[in-house]
Amino acid sequence: MRVRWVGILKDYDDDNLHDFDLSLARLRKAADDGLVYAYVDSLVTIGELRKIIEDPLVRTVRVADVAYDLERP
């Protein structure tokens, strides 16, 4: 069973994935094998992200986009 987020990716997403040294075929295989996970988080703090990165079960973290809410304290 393919992880849901990989299942919504389309062939045209492959070009953008290459910017992160990934390929759609590779992601689909890894997801099918239970080896890759991803999520979108609009409220994660730097501290929370560091905890994810420091987790010994996490081998790679790739941040695709960063935006700062300058209105939020």
Side-chain angles (χ1 to χ4, degrees):
M1 182 176 101
R2 183 167 293 152
V3 176
R4 187 180 331 172
W5 68 270
V6 174
I8 65 171
L9 295 174
K10 305 295 181 208
D11 290 339
Y12 56 78
D13 292 313
D14 205 37
D15 285 339
N16 290 331
L17 292 169
H18 281 284
D19 291 342
F20 299 96
D21 196 26
L22 297 169
S23 73
L24 186 53
R26 187 172 147 206
L27 278 178
R28 286 178 175 161
K29 180 174 180 352
D32 288 341
D33 294 345
L35 300 174
V36 65
Y37 299 91
Y39 76 101
V40 175
D41 191 331
S42 60
L43 300 174
V44 70
T45 66
I46 296 295
E48 292 166 331
L49 185 57
R50 285 190 175 144
K51 287 180 187 175
I52 293 169
I53 292 168
E54 292 168 358
D55 185 326
L57 296 176
V58 176
R59 290 182 43 191
T60 304
V61 172
R62 295 180 190 238
V63 177
D65 191 17
V66 176
Y68 295 98
D69 182 354
L70 299 176
E71 300 294 320
R72 191 171 159 207

